[in-house]
Amino acid sequence: MVLVVSEEVREAIGARRPVVALESTIIAHGLPRPRNLEVALELEEAVRREGAVPATVAVLDGRPRVGLDKEELERVANEDIRKLGHRDLPLAMAAGVSGATTVSATAQLAALAGIRVFATGGLGGVHREWTVTQDESADLGLLARTRITVVCAGVKSILDVPATLQRLETLGVAVAGYGTHRFPGFYLADSGHPVDWTLDTPAQVAAVMRAQDALDAPESALIVANPVPEAEQLDPALHGRVLADALRACAERGVTGQAVTPFLLDYLVRHTDGASLHANLAAVRGNVRLAARIATAWARG
């Protein structure tokens, strides 16, 4: 099998112990060095404290890996490696290159390994001015055909949130707020849009996962939208002002395609004096802890 699953993760899956998949893009492309490695180790430790096994996902030397040791995490954090979506996986494998996995690639490889729960920051989605650019994240299509539970802080607020929610509905991807009737906006606890369903405990999430299996329905994901705590969110007024400036700067500089999201995220970090990064990390930490609790509830059967 081409997929390399660490011994710890393989044994946990075989014994039906809780496992949480973690993406590696935040390590390689989302944080400065050496903070990125510190956060990677911190997130894995947070999963362990909740009684679950962390399975960080990446591609190293053309081999997809689920579960990294410290040396492999250091490679992801310190080497200049590519960002890989699920469409890039066969190309990276054939070329023997290394890369950090995005939401779509992580979800695909985690599901292939038999992992059911995945924690991330915010999902990709439908981009603003979609009617002109037709720009939509590959996350959505992949989640429409992959049986995995994704704990996230909603979708990135730089995107078209209502269009993303509509697209998820069209694709048949289940979405539930965790402890909230409002859909979170990554940096913000409330994107301004409601959710149709609310789940309040890990056991309730696990019950939905079992119901998915019992229905023998199409292999779509369950999105658990877990808001960043209001005390740690980015100030909504600051967020609105800086995002508007970022969108104008993006248009003026002619930034298009895949370059838009990193441009906007970097603009937010620089023009909020790092407050957006603080909110990002607060959201990820909360998602990782919740994902471990959900994985534990799921493992109990």
Side-chain angles (χ1 to χ4, degrees):
M1 185 178 182
V2 71
L3 187 64
V4 180
V5 181
S6 73
E7 182 178 359
E8 180 187 25
V9 172
R10 186 172 61 252
E11 290 179 352
I13 294 171
R16 284 196 58 80
R17 296 201 305 273
V19 180
V20 176
L22 303 171
E23 65 163 285
S24 49
T25 294
I26 189 174
I27 306 170
H29 298 281
L31 296 166
R33 299 168 181 160
R35 181 66 174 132
N36 57 348
L37 179 59
E38 295 170 0
V39 168
L41 296 170
E42 175 193 342
L43 296 178
E44 289 208 342
E45 180 57 30
V47 172
R48 295 187 191 281
R49 282 198 301 271
E50 297 292 339
V53 173
T56 302
V57 179
V59 176
L60 295 176
D61 303 317
R63 300 295 301 277
R65 294 179 179 269
V66 177
L68 305 181
D69 60 26
K70 189 171 186 294
E71 181 180 338
E72 290 165 340
L73 279 173
E74 289 173 349
R75 286 192 61 187
V76 173
N78 296 322
E79 293 181 9
D80 293 324
I81 61 176
R82 298 182 67 130
K83 181 188 294 187
L84 304 176
H86 71 279
R87 71 168 188 170
D88 303 307
L89 292 176
L91 296 160
M93 291 165 61
V97 303
S98 299
T101 52
T102 64
V103 166
S104 67
T106 303
Q108 183 180 54
L109 295 174
L112 184 61
I115 298 173
R116 191 61 182 269
V117 182
F118 165 33
T120 186
L123 295 183
V126 177
H127 287 242
R128 295 166 187 254
E129 299 185 355
W130 181 89
T131 54
V132 176
T133 65
Q134 300 285 291
D135 194 354
E136 174 186 311
S137 171
D139 294 356
L140 305 187
L142 189 283
L143 294 177
R145 57 183 184 272
T146 305
R147 182 59 55 82
I148 196 163
T149 295
V150 183
V151 182
C152 62
V155 299
K156 297 178 177 69
S157 54
I158 60 175
L159 303 172
D160 187 329
V161 177
T164 300
L165 287 170
Q166 181 60 55
R167 185 67 175 139
L168 287 167
E169 178 183 346
T170 300
L171 291 169
V173 179
V175 178
Y178 190 81
T180 180
H181 298 284
R182 309 293 293 175
F183 190 68
F186 190 40
Y187 299 121
L188 306 176
D190 182 357
S191 70
H193 302 278
V195 289
D196 294 327
W197 296 93
T198 300
L199 300 170
D200 295 308
T201 66
Q204 288 180 352
V205 178
V208 175
M209 295 163 64
R210 294 187 192 101
Q212 284 182 310
D213 293 345
L215 285 168
D216 195 24
E219 296 286 309
S220 60
L222 168 63
I223 294 175
V224 178
N226 182 39
V228 61
E230 287 191 11
E232 296 185 276
Q233 72 174 344
L234 183 59
D235 176 72
L238 175 63
H239 171 271
R241 184 172 66 253
V242 174
L243 179 57
D245 291 342
L247 291 168
R248 280 194 297 271
C250 190
E252 290 169 358
R253 300 179 193 183
V255 179
T256 60
Q258 291 185 334
V260 171
T261 294
F263 175 87
L264 294 177
L265 294 178
D266 178 67
Y267 193 101
L268 281 168
V269 170
R270 289 186 291 108
H271 291 82
T272 61
D273 293 326
S276 66
L277 183 59
H278 173 82
N280 181 349
L281 291 176
V284 173
R285 291 186 185 103
N287 295 341
V288 165
R289 291 191 296 268
L290 176 57
R293 293 166 190 164
I294 291 170
T296 298
W298 167 252
R300 288 172 181 157

